[in-house]
Amino acid sequence: MHDKLFEPLTLGAIQSANRIFMAPLTRARSTQPGSIPNEMMATYYRQRAGAGVIISEATGISVEGLGWPAAPGIWTDEQTEGWKLVTDAVHEEGGKIVLQMWHMGRLVHPDFLGGDAPVSASATKAPGHAHTFEGRKDYEGARELSKSEISRVVEDYRKAAENAKEAGFDGVQLHGANGYLVDQFLRDSTNLREDEYGGSPENRTRFLREVLTALVDVWGADRVGVRLSPNGETQGCDDSDPAATFGAAAKVVEELGLAFLELREPGPNGTFGSTDVPKQSPLIRSIYSGALVLNSDYSPEQAVADIEAGRCDAVSWGRDFISNPDLPERFRIGGEIQPNVNVPQSWYLPGPEGYIDYPTLDEAEKASA
């Protein structure tokens, strides 16, 4: 019934055994201080290596870019060595894993920056609350990056990409979605600049192009992907003409020849904001000729229908992979999909509970025998 999900897929130089991808999921289990990946994280990813491609949790490229308690980084040697535990574990199980590269921009609270203001495309302030080590706090105003600082941030991405290569990943994905720094440059509600990085959709994609070019320099285009969220408002970041903006972004991705493009298109109850606006994936599909991955609240039946109709090449699942480490096998045999428990508390709490203690089908059957 779900055979289409188990056909192999080529994404540039990455060979995926199936079309069931694991979406990036922040789980906040890195070792502190230092935001260092560890053995528990390696176990978590090993358990889920049946995905065609695992897209890692969002990973900070620099101190400036990471504002989530206990999320991992990739800017130090210690972090790079920690990630080797993870990539080795996934590869030992025959899986593939790419690193999602993250700069949160204005969504970094000054607590993470020694009291300094966060940076963004423009001097704006996000609505709502930041997660900090001391609990929730109101976001504070960001300052606009100068052009010389933009060049420095691009180099931060380049260095992080080099570290990801050293750590043994199969490729990298730029996090350009969910209202974080790249998205803050893309959308006109957060990009108020009047220089070559602001104004027209083409100008607002300039930062995206420069970062992706740096990643391609390190990895080759055939091992680089990007995630975009061409839907409505997300974490206070919105756009007055998403078709123009994300059509321009898709053109950048096509011109650079990236291996894959993942799109978040959530329904009315999406994690990072809801949307009832028209989906932009048909437009993007008409512009970008590489592997297109769609994400958000899919059933396997819906995924098969979209792949067979040519609307995408693969689908990424997030929350279902939390409580079903063997999700592809459950899809294959029509097994029960375990619901999340203790949600959302266990998503971000430290320790193994709600993280590496979900049983596979085999384990559950043995335990009940």
Side-chain angles (χ1 to χ4, degrees):
M1 178 181 176
H2 300 145
D3 289 352
K4 193 72 179 177
L5 295 178
F6 293 89
E7 292 180 358
L9 177 65
T10 298
L11 307 95
I14 303 170
Q15 300 296 320
S16 175
N18 60 55
R19 292 161 188 250
I20 302 164
F21 287 17
M22 180 172 159
L25 292 160
T26 293
R27 302 306 310 279
R29 259 70 172 197
S30 71
T31 298
Q32 300 300 316
S35 302
I36 302 167
N38 51 46
E39 288 283 3
M40 185 168 64
M41 289 172 59
T43 297
Y44 168 79
Y45 284 107
R46 181 191 294 274
Q47 292 171 339
R48 290 154 180 81
V53 174
I54 293 173
I55 305 170
S56 84
E57 63 204 276
T59 300
I61 62 155
S62 62
V63 172
E64 174 191 83
L66 184 59
W68 192 282
I74 190 70
W75 67 85
T76 71
D77 291 343
E78 292 78 13
Q79 292 163 349
T80 303
E81 289 300 310
W83 276 117
K84 288 180 182 179
L85 300 172
V86 174
T87 60
D88 285 348
V90 171
H91 292 152
E92 285 167 9
E93 301 300 323
K96 299 289 174 67
I97 182 169
V98 300
L99 179 81
Q100 190 187 64
M101 308 184 71
W102 197 24
H103 191 306
M104 295 172 64
R106 69 178 189 165
L107 297 171
V108 179
H109 191 273
D111 279 8
F112 294 91
L113 304 172
D116 291 342
V119 300
S120 187
S122 300
T124 62
K125 179 181 176 181
H129 307 283
H131 293 273
T132 78
F133 283 105
E134 298 175 357
R136 289 189 170 192
K137 296 187 178 182
D138 288 346
Y139 286 114
E140 297 190 13
R143 64 175 183 82
E144 179 175 298
L145 284 163
S146 68
K147 286 194 278 189
S148 64
E149 287 179 308
I150 289 173
S151 298
R152 188 261 304 157
V153 173
V154 171
E155 289 308 303
D156 289 344
Y157 274 104
R158 185 191 304 274
K159 174 60 176 172
E162 292 169 351
N163 288 346
K165 202 169 192 179
E166 173 67 21
F169 284 93
D170 296 292
V172 292
Q173 183 197 57
L174 174 63
H175 195 340
N178 299 357
Y180 297 115
L181 183 63
V182 174
D183 214 12
Q184 291 160 31
F185 270 89
L186 285 175
R187 304 208 208 194
D188 61 14
S189 77
T190 46
N191 186 338
L192 313 176
R193 302 176 72 99
E194 297 180 352
D195 60 10
E196 61 266 40
Y197 290 92
S200 69
E202 289 71 26
N203 278 4
R204 284 183 275 117
T205 63
R206 188 181 302 273
F207 180 65
L208 170 73
R209 184 187 292 273
E210 290 180 356
V211 174
L212 287 173
T213 298
L215 304 188
V216 168
D217 286 347
V218 174
W219 277 94
D222 56 2
R223 290 189 181 273
V224 175
V226 63
R227 175 179 251 227
L228 300 173
S229 51
N231 39 275
E233 183 272 339
T234 174
Q235 304 201 87
C237 190
D238 206 352
D239 194 82
S240 63
D241 189 350
T245 295
F246 289 98
K251 186 177 179 184
V252 170
V253 178
E254 172 68 11
E255 289 173 353
L256 293 176
L258 298 194
F260 69 101
L261 170 56
E262 184 194 20
L263 300 179
R264 279 198 80 250
E265 291 195 317
N269 299 304
T271 307
F272 291 97
S274 61
T275 177
D276 294 314
V277 300
K279 292 187 174 183
Q280 300 300 323
S281 54
L283 169 68
I284 290 170
R285 184 67 155 169
S286 73
I287 297 169
Y288 173 63
S289 60
L292 185 66
V293 184
L294 296 183
N295 165 258
S296 217
D297 307 315
Y298 267 88
S299 68
E301 292 76 20
Q302 290 169 324
V304 168
D306 274 6
I307 293 170
E308 288 182 339
R311 288 187 281 269
C312 64
D313 299 290
V315 169
S316 62
W317 276 267
R319 287 185 293 267
D320 283 342
F321 257 115
I322 291 176
S323 50
N324 299 275
D326 57 342
L327 187 65
E329 178 64 10
R330 290 171 188 262
F331 284 169
R332 190 182 67 80
I333 67 173
E336 181 183 0
I337 305 301
Q338 293 188 94
N340 290 167
V341 296
N342 299 322
V343 173
Q345 295 91 333
S346 66
W347 291 354
Y348 309 128
L349 290 178
E353 186 177 357
Y355 187 58
I356 58 172
D357 58 349
Y358 287 104
T360 63
L361 275 173
D362 285 348
E363 289 166 348
E365 288 172 1
K366 289 175 182 175
S368 63

